[in-house]
Amino acid sequence: MARLWVRVIRRQRIDLQEAVPSAWGEAHKALEGALGVLDLPVPMWLNKHEREWRDFRRTAFLPEHFVEAVDFERLEIEYLDDSGKKRKSADVRNQF
């Protein structure tokens, strides 16, 4: 089973964190659940976040990505795959 790891960064340190079970296609739902547990507002999911999520399986939200005021520097989310299967880069330079 895979997990979504949500971290709240204040003063360059992890202040709050939560890991919730999540499938790859259900990240938005898992994020809303984790933010509900942490009592935080849901950020706006922009094209930048979608691209980072697709390419790197992680992204970060800054205070300007929230409609409500927040008191932290960054909200980071990362997809943790527990299957043990290694991912390969799609870059042609890494094919050899």
Side-chain angles (χ1 to χ4, degrees):
M1 184 68 182
R3 296 170 289 150
L4 180 71
W5 185 22
V6 179
R7 302 179 297 272
V8 174
I9 309 297
R10 285 190 181 103
R11 293 184 292 268
Q12 290 82 34
R13 296 187 180 190
I14 297 175
D15 189 41
L16 297 171
Q17 62 180 332
E18 184 71 27
V20 294
S22 172
W24 174 249
E26 300 175 355
H28 297 285
K29 185 177 178 182
L31 177 61
E32 289 178 12
L35 293 176
V37 170
L38 296 172
D39 195 29
L40 295 172
V42 178
M44 294 180 286
W45 193 277
L46 305 174
N47 289 336
K48 163 205 176 301
H49 301 117
E50 188 64 39
R51 186 175 54 252
E52 290 174 351
W53 184 251
R54 182 186 63 239
D55 295 344
F56 307 114
R57 295 187 174 205
R58 65 181 303 177
T59 189
F61 299 93
L62 301 175
E64 56 262 19
H65 298 136
F66 292 85
V67 175
E68 300 176 31
V70 293
D71 63 342
F72 52 81
E73 297 169 6
R74 190 168 69 249
L75 173 78
E76 297 177 348
I77 63 170
E78 184 173 351
Y79 184 76
L80 304 174
D81 190 8
D82 297 336
S83 68
K85 183 178 177 184
K86 298 276 185 180
R87 290 184 46 213
K88 292 185 178 181
S89 171
D91 191 343
V92 296
R93 294 174 291 183
N94 296 330
Q95 298 300 320
F96 301 105

